[in-house]
């Protein structure tokens, strides 16, 4: 294991990729209404996502990609923040304490 510190632009690119992943996952679930749900469906999505072109893009290319989708980086960061806030709330409400 090594210590890896991302530059500010690498961190921004990573966060934008994650926000786009959230949008793509939401759309994938909508378009693929199957008997597969949750993690089983995500495993199928993950294979496509890992080979998606955004992973080879540098930050300026990601900014253009975001703009071409009709979003601003601020909108995507808001979507990302809301996604993780909702996920945290869901996890907290379904948590069982074991004592």
């Amino acid at each position: 294991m090594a210590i890896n510190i991302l530059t500010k632009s690498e961190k921004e690119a990573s966060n934008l990729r994650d926000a786009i992943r959230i949008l793509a996952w939401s759309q994938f679930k909508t378009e693929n209404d199957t008997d597969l749900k949750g993690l089983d469906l995500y495993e199928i999505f993950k294979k496509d996502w890992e080979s998606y072109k955004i992973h080879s893009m540098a930050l300026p290319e990601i900014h253009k990609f975001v703009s071409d989708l009709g979003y601003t980086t601020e909108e995507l960061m808001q979507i990302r923040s809301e996604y993780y806030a909702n996920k945290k709330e869901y996890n907290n409400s379904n948590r069982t304490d074991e004592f």
Side-chain angles (χ1 to χ4, degrees), residues 52-93:
Y52 196 65
K53 62 186 177 183
I54 197 163
H55 297 291
S56 63
M57 292 181 186
L59 185 57
E61 295 168 299
I62 294 173
H63 280 155
K64 182 176 180 338
F65 183 76
V66 166
S67 177
D68 289 348
L69 291 174
Y71 291 95
T72 66
T73 57
E74 293 80 14
E75 287 172 318
L76 284 183
M77 290 297 91
Q78 182 63 35
I79 290 167
R80 183 177 182 268
S81 293
E82 289 172 5
Y83 172 83
Y84 284 111
N86 290 338
K87 185 175 180 177
K88 181 179 180 181
E89 183 178 318
Y90 174 82
N91 288 340
N92 286 341
S93 68

Side-chain angles (χ1 to χ4, degrees), residues 38-56:
L39 293 177
D40 293 330
L41 186 59
Y42 190 82
E43 285 302 315
I44 295 169
F45 167 80
K46 184 179 173 183
K47 290 176 187 173
D48 289 339
W49 175 250
E50 288 175 346
S51 64
Y52 196 65
K53 62 186 177 183
I54 197 163
H55 297 291
S56 63

